[in-house]
Amino acid sequence: MATKPAEAFTMELQPFDAATAASERAKWLLSSPAPPAPWRQVYTSVKESVLPGSKSRQQPRRSKILVFVEGLFPILKWGRNYKATKFKNDLLAGLTLASLCIPQSIGYANLAKLDPQYGLYTSVVPPLIYAMMGSSRELAIGPVAVVSLLLSAMVSKVVDPAADPALYRRIIFTVTFFTGAFQALFGVFRLGFLIDFLSHAAVIGFMGGAAIVIGLQQLKGLLGISHFTSKTDVISVLGAVVEALHHQWYPLNFVLGCSFLIFILATRFIVLKVQGRRYKKVFWLPAVAPLFSVVLSTFIVYLTKADKHGVKIVKHLKGGLNPVSVHQLDFGAQHVGEAAKIGLICALIALTEAIAVGRSFASIKGYHLDGNKEMVAMGCMNIVGSFTSCYTATGSFSRTAVNFSAGCETVVSNIVMSITVLISLLLFTKLLYYTPLAILASIILSALPGLIDINGAYNIWKVDKLDFLVSLGAFFGVLFGSIEIGLLVAVGISFGKIILLSIKPSTEELGRLPGTDIFCSINQFPVATKIPGIIIIQINSGTLCFANANFIRERILKWLSDENEIKESNKAGVRVMILDMTNVMNVDTTGIHAMEELHKKLISRGIELAVANPRWEMISKMKAAKVVEKMGSDWIFQSVGDAVEASLRRKMNVNGLYAC
């Protein structure tokens, strides 16, 4: 009795031969349900961003409100398991981070053409907001060099900061608001792909060019020059330096700045040499070096009265809590368009840097960083920052590296840093009156080598010459044009590359590898053999659309334009063209029309058209346009192998018919 089910099962499988199996697979393909509508996909995307745990049924008692709140504020989730041992590490990391952040923030505010306290304000509120909403454990939030340069370069074209500093400051806050709004929208609607338009190659070129421009801008503070150009291109800056050197400048600024620049770089060199040997806990040395330089140089200037001998100093630095700046946001018709445009550019640049830094350190620690959540967190922190006298903040690579080396466990290190900076604002700002500007310039210069990735550029050159052209375009665009020109050139070349690959995708003829059922390019694998009477064409494009449909159709017909090949097909007795649609994810109406025309032309030549492995969107649209009915459902296959086997069986049937 026990053998009957097995026998019955065997009897059921016997008629289920290869032909029947291929036919069944084709039926499954043709009877697949319609894909979700576009509006449904957008709704699902937003729902997953706002309610990330809504699909889980393991915790039915948990309310959707709680899931929403925990998704928006991850600190509520991991904070319940936070231990004192972690706080010890976070406290040390936060204090180390603050020692680097305070001098850098003052320097970056100077680079953004703002008063020094605004850099410190930006290191107080945004890190606190990110600590509540962000998911990266190591990312250090605050002002950064590239965004500071971007703001000063672009906003200065709208308003001269020297002529009207109050209006300039209001537009900076407005730009920060738009930056945050765009970042939050990108995250909510899962538009993270927008930052991918700044490719890795473009970012390397842009950062390298921006680093050199920032370095040249620091010559003003390093040489003690009073009047300097507002332009950022290398020719204008060098011209301004040469002109200033012919007039009054003070060598003491240069001596003081270079001395401490050498000291800061020397501490980094020493750490690189000894780290990994005996002295593993010397990470704090380069982190503390900038703050030590500020304290020591300030003390030297105060004792020697060097400010009376031409050394430029910070002078008044306003302390206290962040003042509310909601009333300073300028949404008037005169500047709102420019502010929104600059905000969009800043949003893309800031997100590109922060997410790249966050993901690199997350991969080291072995956890995943959700880019869309990061966008929402950074958007909210910049929106709140614009209300509290902060300018655009993002993740800093140099400070994140220090935070990681200091052994941070969670974003509590950002909270410690923020509180430390706040205490400095409340108690110690008057002590920075005699801080020389040359020291701030040297601190910024010391952070620039990390922005220039020579090895990355060399690897791009070795792997992809067209990508290297994108990198060069961004580099020279920033260096000899402006920040905007560099971005436009990089994005323009990147789009040109995408368009070129889209409108002229490659099509390959496939053959079977001997002794296998694997079909691959006969150009890549010369051992692959053609099937007599059958031509297999693979379309290497993600979409068959208006941009490439006619090109693909004409290119396919070229395989049939040779009369000798047609004659060989006639001798074989079967003429079939198989289109491998494995790579085609979608098709539009132009693509559907091109397939109909291709089918008609092939039929007129006595050649059948078969479609192998059409994807979900494509087969759905082919059915809706009744292309399947025109071609015949028996010419749609799940795989190239099924299409070839079916064509060969029909060839045998036709030959048998002729033999009779």
Side-chain angles (χ1 to χ4, degrees), residues 240-257:
V241 171
V242 171
E243 184 179 352
L245 291 177
H246 286 88
H247 297 83
Q248 190 177 17
W249 68 286
Y250 303 97
L252 281 177
N253 291 279
F254 183 75
V255 172
L256 194 64

Side-chain angles (χ1 to χ4, degrees), residues 438-493:
I439 294 302
L440 302 180
S442 66
I443 290 171
I444 294 175
L445 286 169
S446 68
L448 297 183
L451 297 177
I452 303 175
D453 189 358
I454 297 176
N455 290 331
Y458 178 67
N459 288 333
I460 291 172
W461 164 257
K462 289 195 301 182
V463 174
D464 192 329
K465 302 298 187 292
L466 195 56
D467 259 2
F468 186 73
L469 182 62
V470 173
S471 190
L472 281 183
F475 179 78
F476 287 114
V478 172
L479 208 58
F480 294 101
S482 63
I483 299 292
E484 307 97 293
I485 291 175
L487 287 173
L488 286 174
V489 169
V491 174
I493 297 176

Side-chain angles (χ1 to χ4, degrees), residues 43-63:
Y43 170 76
T44 304
S45 175
V46 174
K47 184 178 178 182
E48 288 177 356
S49 295
V50 178
L51 297 171
S54 59
K55 289 186 177 181
S56 177
R57 297 183 180 179
Q58 296 178 357
Q59 299 173 329
R61 296 180 181 178
R62 178 172 291 187
S63 66

